[in-house]
Amino acid sequence: MQPLVDQLLAQAESDILSVRDQQSLDAFRVRYLSRKGEIAGLFEQLKNLSPEERPVLGKSLNALRARVQAAFDKKAQELSSNSANANGIDLTLPGRMPFVGSRHPLTQTLDEIRRIFTGMGFSIADGPELEDDYHNFGALNFPPDHPARDMQDTFFVSRNALLRTHTSPVQIRVMENQPPPVRAIMPGKVYRNEAINARSYCMFHQVEGLCVDKGVTFSELKGTLISFIQQFYGSGLKYRFRPTFFPFTEPSADIYITCFICNGKGCRMCKQLGWLEILGCGMVHPNVFRSVGYDPEKYTGYAFGMGIERIAILRYGIDDIRLFFENDVRFLAQF
Ligand code: 2U9
């Protein structure tokens, strides 16, 4: 019978290793140590042995029971002291990481722009995305036959209702509703009827700004926008103003900074120019002031505009504008 005793001890010592909770500890006890358990079964067989064999094996069985009981006690102690509570919850397991969201890269870019301009005394205004022809084009000095008024470029909802193509109608509404001075930025969604691809989308975000008062000059425009550029992109970089045309400003300029991807050498991002266009700006056209009832002889002002997707694409090195709107968490979690 001694081989049976050895076998049972080996089995019990191996079983106790896989006991991880109270339930399997109970099962272990029932199997080996209970009154109908395996060790009791072996004691039962003592009576079939010869009187000489009986004390030898009795001693061996007592030793077996003591070792199995000791293994059981040790495991019970372990479970109650640190690894598991009575409900079978293992407190030593690592916790589950809760999923924490992040701010959308466009929100982060917009927040930074808002922070810089409010720091320079600008307030924030908003207005409707569904506009009429007058606020989106007419009041902004677009001639009646301007190509932007074409169905090809603008989403018309009805003959006189359209999705705004820029946030400029918000400036018109602000000026219609208050006398000068005005110093505000207008962030928001705008819509263009364009083919969707990696570079362009039918909807994007702009921040435009407007400053109107007596004696506002182009120098003030330059000072404010250069300060913005230095706060947003860093103070060491080079910039340049280049004349351009907008119906609503005169004179008008585009502002470029040295391409920070290639350091001015010319690359795909800056279309081999060495310069990146980051802002449009100009002095508000007198006709725009006339539309809102401001006297262009008394007041001057500057305005500017920038596309947020373009800025975020440059800032984060994103190569497809559509990624901003797919809301794939694997993309969003990177920012
Ligand atoms: C009023 C008067 C003037 C807003 C301006 C720009 C220049 C400009 C573009 C930047 C890239 C649009 O997002 S973009 O495609 N905008 O360059 N916007 S001045 O001028 C105004 C606005 C309102 C009443």
Side-chain angles (χ1 to χ4, degrees):
M1 250 178 91
Q2 187 58 44
L4 276 180
V5 175
D6 295 340
Q7 203 185 330
L8 197 62
L9 178 64
Q11 183 67 47
E13 284 182 337
S14 134
D15 281 0
I16 199 75
L17 294 177
S18 54
V19 168
R20 303 237 184 284
D21 54 30
Q22 197 59 48
Q23 207 180 348
S24 49
L25 183 69
D26 281 344
F28 179 89
R29 187 187 54 75
V30 169
R31 173 166 179 194
Y32 293 103
L33 296 166
S34 67
R35 271 200 303 128
K36 294 219 162 78
E38 303 226 12
I39 296 175
L42 289 182
F43 271 108
E44 199 59 33
Q45 289 181 39
L46 278 180
K47 61 178 185 289
N48 305 327
L49 298 179
S50 66
E52 300 80 54
E53 286 175 317
R54 217 174 283 157
V56 181
L57 211 77
K59 207 170 155 200
S60 163
L61 281 179
N62 279 328
L64 168 69
R65 185 165 58 192
R67 283 184 67 168
V68 174
Q69 183 70 46
F72 172 86
D73 292 345
K74 184 160 169 267
K75 182 60 85 175
Q77 171 73 29
E78 254 173 51
L79 290 182
S80 72
S81 67
N82 60 17
S83 357
N85 72 12
N87 297 324
I89 297 167
D90 188 344
L91 300 175
T92 65
L93 287 174
R96 287 193 192 115
M97 280 293 279
F99 179 76
V100 180
S102 55
R103 278 183 313 149
H104 194 285
L106 290 177
T107 308
Q108 292 188 38
T109 308
L110 206 55
D111 283 352
E112 176 73 357
I113 295 168
R114 266 193 281 246
R115 187 187 65 75
I116 294 171
F117 279 106
T118 52
M120 294 195 288
F122 284 76
S123 55
I124 293 169
D126 68 6
E129 290 175 23
L130 189 64
E131 270 294 358
D132 52 41
D133 181 275
Y134 176 74
H135 286 89
N136 197 77
F137 296 121
L140 287 151
N141 199 36
F142 279 79
D145 58 350
H146 193 281
R149 295 179 114 139
D150 199 310
M151 301 270 290
Q152 303 293 307
D153 295 294
T154 303
F155 287 115
F156 285 87
V157 174
S158 66
R159 209 176 59 78
N160 192 32
L162 51 86
L163 295 177
R164 67 182 184 194
T165 59
H166 41 194
T167 56
S168 312
V170 183
Q171 282 95 302
I172 297 296
R173 289 179 186 280
V174 167
M175 290 191 285
E176 281 173 342
N177 290 316
Q178 69 168 78
V182 174
R183 196 180 253 254
I185 58 165
M186 294 73 179
K189 287 187 167 68
V190 302
Y191 300 85
R192 305 248 171 116
N193 192 359
E194 283 180 27
I196 293 172
N197 56 46
R199 304 259 135 247
S200 77
Y201 201 70
C202 53
M203 181 274 297
F204 62 99
H205 297 76
Q206 280 188 341
V207 174
E208 290 194 340
L210 178 70
C211 171
V212 184
D213 204 347
K214 285 180 181 151
V216 172
T217 63
F218 199 87
S219 298
E220 203 173 319
L221 173 157
K222 284 179 76 180
T224 307
L225 295 181
I226 290 167
S227 173
F228 163 73
I229 291 168
Q230 291 177 336
Q231 291 181 64
F232 190 85
Y233 291 98
S235 54
L237 53 75
K238 285 209 277 190
Y239 49 80
R240 70 173 185 181
F241 285 65
R242 188 169 181 255
T244 186
F245 175 82
F246 302 115
F248 34 80
T249 48
E250 180 60 35
S252 307
D254 282 325
I255 308 178
Y256 292 76
I257 56 173
T258 304
C259 179
F260 46 73
I261 318 260
C262 62
N263 214 0
K265 290 186 188 64
C267 67
R268 201 174 59 93
M269 218 54 170
C270 61
K271 298 193 189 118
Q272 310 305 327
L273 281 175
W275 296 93
L276 291 167
E277 187 202 321
I278 49 154
L279 270 163
C281 58
M283 299 305 288
V284 179
H285 197 289
N287 286 348
V288 173
F289 283 148
R290 286 187 193 104
S291 317
V292 297
Y294 283 12
D295 181 352
E297 299 297 325
K298 242 167 106 181
Y299 295 104
T300 52
Y302 63 83
F304 55 89
M306 59 191 122
I308 306 308
E309 280 74 1
R310 182 174 160 73
I311 288 175
I313 279 172
L314 294 171
R315 187 182 212 196
Y316 299 113
I318 294 162
D319 60 6
D320 193 324
I321 192 172
R322 292 168 291 195
L323 289 165
F324 288 125
F325 310 115
E326 285 165 2
N327 284 331
D328 185 325
V329 177
R330 291 167 301 181
F331 169 73
L332 298 177
Q334 296 175 50
F335 302 99

